[in-house]
């Protein structure tokens, strides 16, 4: 199946795909779900390529694996766990069983507890020592940080609750900067950690506890915890009434739909949070039911596979022309790279193709004035994914939003069409001549033929944000199944954690550098001489 796709690619690789773009292509090479459009007209995928990609999806059993995931089967085979973040947003769906037990009563009960607590905080019934909570500090890292941090920014127009801050890095600069602007008497600290063992989070949580204890008589009363490890939250001294648990079938980077989303719920309120869940749930329903060629997550995954595994483009840029989504690239880096950055397939064999791509990006138009130079004229092709809303939230500045949209569309148009040498020459013929004209013109050539997709939607509401995030989650799932890997473990982060634990006493000077490699020993030596 990979061979057929590669053979097809070899036949079409040199074609300029803009020659495919006629009046009918926009309808035929896009998919729409409700008011969300996925446009992939500006790629080199044609009818044959798409059919072969869909074959790949069918031959690798994506439908059966998808159904197994939604049914609570242990598809995370290396950890023997179900993968059921979808249950967290199954607001009016039926029962979902894991090992014969319906998990939905527990999910809905936790959601109700979160809502009560969020309402109490927002309405001032839950108070700090100094009165109504003004600031919420979420301490977590990776999946216990990136999701809510991204979404609180994304839904800023709906933010009517306490200020929210996010501390993730073990670098003391991070926690210090946040605590400096908070009043301990009116701050709620949420310790978000699935395992409640992550060294960065536990270190920052203890720092916050010490900070709070300097002013507040009962600091534990202003702490809450989000975790699967209720024994450890109790040992930390957090009252069980403020502990919001979840199960091991929710992966860290898929967890913002449940307790890990508590800070978001406090920021935007329970109705907006529910709308966010409903958007994701709508995408789940679409993913389960839509034909593959109309199925947004499936098509986005196949486009990704075409560009990465078939065309050999190693990275993809995510470029939101929506400043509210400024943290989406960082969020997707964990979602996509921690999920599909693996070289071994589920059965333990080497992956026969490359693993998932490097994902990176910044909001437009900022990126245009930074790295787009390389995207347009660099020697490597970087497929781009644009996200754009028809409307912003600033009605009085709509003309500015229109300029933003024009910039977005201009980029994909420029990437596709480029500018040939004749056109470049003609543009400067009044200023240069002969050899200098040739030289100057060559610098102004854009090779074009560079692919992009555009995801467009009316406005970034909580519902639409839920759809976007679930779209990417299912895209990662489909890519993982096609590549034959387990998207739900993350063994690749373990080695560094172990070595950091071993190195801590060496850095502190309590243990010698004996046994360390020459490079590491020398770096420790330099840092110790300079005061570490
Ligand atoms: O870096 C690995 C990882 O386990 C991520 O998968 C996870 O999101 C993050 O650490 C934080 O883990 P926890 O929520 O258990 O503190």
């Amino acid at each position: 199946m990979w061979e057929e796709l590669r053979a097809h690619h070899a036949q079409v690789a040199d074609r300029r795909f803009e020659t495919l773009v006629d009046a009918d292509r926009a309808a035929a090479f896009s998919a729409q779900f409700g008011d969300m459009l996925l446009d992939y007209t500006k790629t080199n995928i044609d009818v044959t390529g798409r059919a072969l990609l869909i074959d790949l999806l069918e031959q690798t059993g994506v439908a059966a694996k998808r159904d197994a995931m939604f049914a609570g089967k242990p598809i995370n085979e290396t950890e023997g766990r179900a993968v059921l973040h979808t249950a967290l947003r199954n607001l009016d769906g039926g029962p979902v069983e894991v090992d014969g037990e319906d998990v939905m009563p527990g999910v809905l009960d936790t959601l109700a507890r979160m809502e009560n607590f969020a309402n109490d905080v927002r309405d001032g019934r839950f108070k700090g020592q100094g009165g109504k909570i003004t600031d919420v500090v979420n301490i977590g890292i990776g999946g216990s940080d990136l999701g809510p941090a991204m979404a609180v920014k994304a839904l800023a127009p709906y933010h009517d609750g306490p200020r929210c801050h996010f501390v993730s890095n073990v670098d003391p600069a991070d926690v210090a900067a946040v605590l400096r602007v908070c009043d301990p008497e009116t701050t709620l600290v949420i310790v978000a950690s699935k395992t409640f063992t992550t060294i960065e989070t536990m270190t920052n949580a203890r720092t916050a506890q010490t900070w709070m204890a300097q002013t507040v008589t009962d600091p534990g009363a202003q702490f809450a915890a989000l975790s699967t490890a209720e024994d450890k939250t109790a040992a930390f001294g957090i009252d069980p009434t403020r502990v919001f648990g979840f199960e091991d079938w929710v992966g860290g980077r898929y967890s913002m739909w449940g307790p890990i989303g508590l800070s978001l719920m406090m920021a935007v309120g329970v109705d907006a949070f529910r709308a966010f869940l409903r958007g994701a749930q709508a995408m789940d329903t679409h993913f389960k039911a839509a034909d593959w060629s109309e199925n947004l997550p499936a098509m986005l995954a196949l486009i990704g596979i075409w560009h990465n595994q078939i065309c050999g483009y190693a990275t993809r840029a995510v470029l939101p022309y929506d400043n509210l989504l400024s943290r989406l690239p960082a969020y997707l880096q964990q979602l996509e790279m921690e999920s599909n950055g693996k070289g071994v397939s589920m059965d333990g064999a080497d992956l026969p193709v490359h693993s998932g791509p490097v994902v990176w990006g910044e909001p437009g138009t900022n990126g245009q004035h930074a790295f787009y130079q390389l995207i347009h004229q660099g020697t490597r092709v970087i497929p781009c994914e644009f996200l754009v809303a028809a409307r912003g939230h600033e009605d009085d500045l709509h003309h500015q939003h229109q300029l933003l949209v024009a910039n977005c569309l201009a980029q994909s148009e420029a990437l596709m069409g480029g500018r040939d040498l004749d056109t470049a020459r003609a543009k400067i013929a009044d200023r240069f001549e002969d050899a200098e004209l040739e030289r100057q013109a060559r610098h102004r050539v854009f090779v074009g033929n560079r692919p992009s997709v555009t995801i467009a939607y009316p406005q970034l509401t909580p519902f639409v944000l839920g759809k976007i995030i679930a779209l990417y989650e299912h895209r990662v799932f489909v890519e993982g199944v096609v590549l034959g890997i387990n998207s739900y473990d993350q063994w690749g982060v373990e080695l560094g954690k172990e070595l950091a634990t071993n190195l801590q006493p060496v850095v502190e000077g309590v243990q010698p550098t004996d046994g360390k490699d020459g490079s590491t020993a020398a770096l420790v030596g330099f840092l110790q001489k300079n005061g570490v």
Side-chain angles (χ1 to χ4, degrees), residues 355-482:
S355 57
V358 176
V359 177
W360 59 283
E362 278 287 319
T365 59
N366 296 10
Q368 288 175 209
H369 296 272
F371 51 78
Y372 277 41
Q373 164 66 43
L374 183 141
I375 294 181
H376 285 288
Q377 287 191 316
T379 52
R380 291 188 182 88
V381 175
I382 297 167
C384 295
E385 291 183 6
F386 297 103
L387 292 105
V388 64
R391 297 189 313 281
H393 290 269
E394 300 75 19
D395 292 343
D396 52 332
L397 296 174
H398 188 60
H399 62 286
Q400 214 169 312
H401 188 82
Q402 289 170 326
L403 181 57
L404 175 75
V405 172
N407 268 276
C408 179
L409 300 182
Q411 291 303 322
S412 64
E413 192 182 346
L415 285 167
M416 176 172 72
R419 178 191 284 154
D420 63 19
L421 186 57
D422 284 345
T423 314
R425 213 184 275 122
K427 279 187 88 73
I428 53 171
D430 56 336
R431 286 191 283 147
F432 303 102
E433 55 189 25
D434 303 331
E436 186 59 7
L437 175 61
E438 277 318 286
R439 188 171 77 91
Q440 291 286 349
R442 279 186 56 75
H443 286 275
R444 289 157 170 81
V445 168
F446 292 65
V447 288
N449 214 25
R450 303 201 156 186
S452 66
V453 301
T454 300
I455 297 167
Y457 45 89
Q459 189 182 40
L460 192 66
T461 60
F463 187 81
V464 167
L465 181 69
K467 276 171 85 168
I468 291 173
I469 302 306
L471 164 66
Y472 276 99
E473 285 181 348
H474 294 320
R475 181 247 200 118
V476 167
F477 167 83
V478 174
E479 287 196 5
V481 176
V482 171

Side-chain angles (χ1 to χ4, degrees), residues 139-146 192-202 226-228 246 251-255 260 334 338 489-490 493-494 497:
I139 297 180
I141 196 164
S144 299
D145 164 73
L146 287 162
S193 176
K194 181 177 166 182
T195 54
F196 231 70
T197 57
T198 304
I199 188 93
E200 292 92 335
T201 301
M202 300 325 295
L226 320 173
S227 184
T228 56
F246 52 106
R253 53 195 174 275
Y254 297 87
S255 61
I260 295 295
Q334 187 198 18
E338 199 171 75
D489 60 13
Q490 56 281 322
V493 301
E494 295 303 325
K497 283 187 197 172

Side-chain angles (χ1 to χ4, degrees), residues 170-194:
V170 76
D171 185 333
D174 196 12
V175 66
V178 168
L179 298 184
R180 202 175 294 134
V181 298
C182 293
D183 175 353
E185 295 203 352
T186 56
T187 295
L188 171 72
V189 176
I190 299 178
V191 185
S193 176
K194 181 177 166 182

Side-chain angles (χ1 to χ4, degrees), residues 274-286:
R274 276 190 174 242
F276 170 64
L277 298 188
R278 284 197 189 283
Q281 188 186 16
M283 186 56 76
D284 294 343
T285 306
H286 166 79

Side-chain angles (χ1 to χ4, degrees), residues 54-77 83 287-290 292 295 298 346 477-478 481-482 488:
I54 290 176
D55 278 354
L56 190 64
L57 196 148
E58 277 171 356
Q59 288 173 35
T60 49
V62 171
K65 204 62 173 277
R66 173 196 60 193
D67 296 345
M69 175 174 73
F70 279 98
K73 302 282 182 264
I75 65 161
N76 173 357
E77 291 178 26
V83 174
F287 178 49
K288 284 192 275 190
W292 292 135
N295 194 306
M346 194 72 98
F477 167 83
V478 174
V481 176
V482 171
Y488 301 100

